[in-house]
Amino acid sequence: MKVGFIGCGNLGGSLIKGLLNAGALRAEELVASDVSDEKLGELGKFGIETTTDSKKLVEHCDVIFIAVKPDVVESVLEETKEFSKGKLFVSVAAGVSTKFIEARTRGRVIRVMPNICGLVGEMASCFSLGTRASKEDEELIEKLLAAMGMTFKVDEKLMNVVTGLSGSGPAYFYFIVQALQEAGVELGLSSEIALKLAAQTAKGAGEVILREGKTLEELTGMVCTPKGTTIEGIKVLEERKVADALRDAVKAAARRAKELSR
Ligand SMILES: NC(=O)c1ccc[n+]([C@@H]2O[C@H](COP(=O)([O-])OP(=O)(O)OC[C@H]3O[C@@H](n4cnc5c(N)ncnc54)[C@H](OP(=O)(O)O)[C@@H]3O)[C@@H](O)[C@H]2O)c1
């Protein structure tokens, strides 16, 4: 099986590296296409075949990930249509529907909303099948996505929500970790130690949620004892309405995904 990537920027590049790191695909099974020689040069170092000719890539691949910006998807589909019959197209473009893609290709289509954490095998993703996708296509994409983390099949109408939550989500956590780091530095820690403490705490807290099977209230209670230290921090978060701000952030990103929808 040959798997091609059209668009090898932040997301496409992270998926390629994630699939290689996970051992889900070998370098010989991958082909990367981009308009940027610099990005292709970096991927070429992994032994992957690279090209600037997306038409050729589609001709020679069985599965094609489309990882260009949403407004470039249409031109990529037009350019590659003549070789699209019998191929599986996997689009990661925010807001671009399977219907839009199916109307512009002869291939089968699956829409995925991943995030960049596939790079380290910790991706959260969702996928939706287009009308022509088969059971085998579903099994294949589920296997590839699961190799890089956690994946769920969802109704396509929820894809904009997934985009606002987990697609954009890594940036929310970077934002929070940066604020925690800055506070640590202001209080005397080195920048490096403060960053690592904040990042490891985010990672550990997430792992505990996923592995312990306790509710968030129970877990908060394990850290936050009455008259203790944590409750003082939580009080500030509540007073400043941080929960409202985070909810609004997800809604704003989901709204933007809807605006981009085609
Ligand atoms: N970044 C994320 O965290 C994230 C998460 C979920 C989904 N996505 C989705 O992933 C897609 C890519 O996002 P990104 O952040 O990876 O963007 P990006 O970093 O700009 O990557 C897109 C790449 O495609 C290249 N490109 C442009 N036109 C092309 C063409 N006709 N053929 C081949 N390559 C072409 C771009 O080159 P130039 O830069 O030279 O134009 C760039 O290297 C988007 O649709 C986005 O909605 C991204």
Side-chain angles (χ1 to χ4, degrees), residues 66-87:
I66 303 179
V68 292
K69 292 281 188 207
D71 60 347
V72 183
V73 171
E74 186 163 22
S75 64
V76 164
L77 292 172
E78 266 167 26
E79 187 190 342
T80 59
K81 189 169 181 181
E82 70 177 286
F83 295 115
S84 62
K85 195 157 192 283
K87 313 285 174 156

Side-chain angles (χ1 to χ4, degrees), residues 5-15 33-37 39 51-52 54 66-73 75-76 79 91-96 112-117 163 166-171 260:
F5 278 79
I6 301 179
C8 301
N10 294 312
L11 204 273
S14 77
L15 290 177
S33 156
D34 201 287
V35 289
S36 154
D37 284 330
K39 280 163 195 148
T51 177
T52 51
S54 295
I66 303 179
V68 292
K69 292 281 188 207
D71 60 347
V72 183
V73 171
S75 64
V76 164
E79 187 190 342
S91 167
V92 300
V96 182
V112 174
M113 182 40 62
N115 67 26
I116 60 159
C117 302
T163 305
S166 54
S168 307
L260 290 173

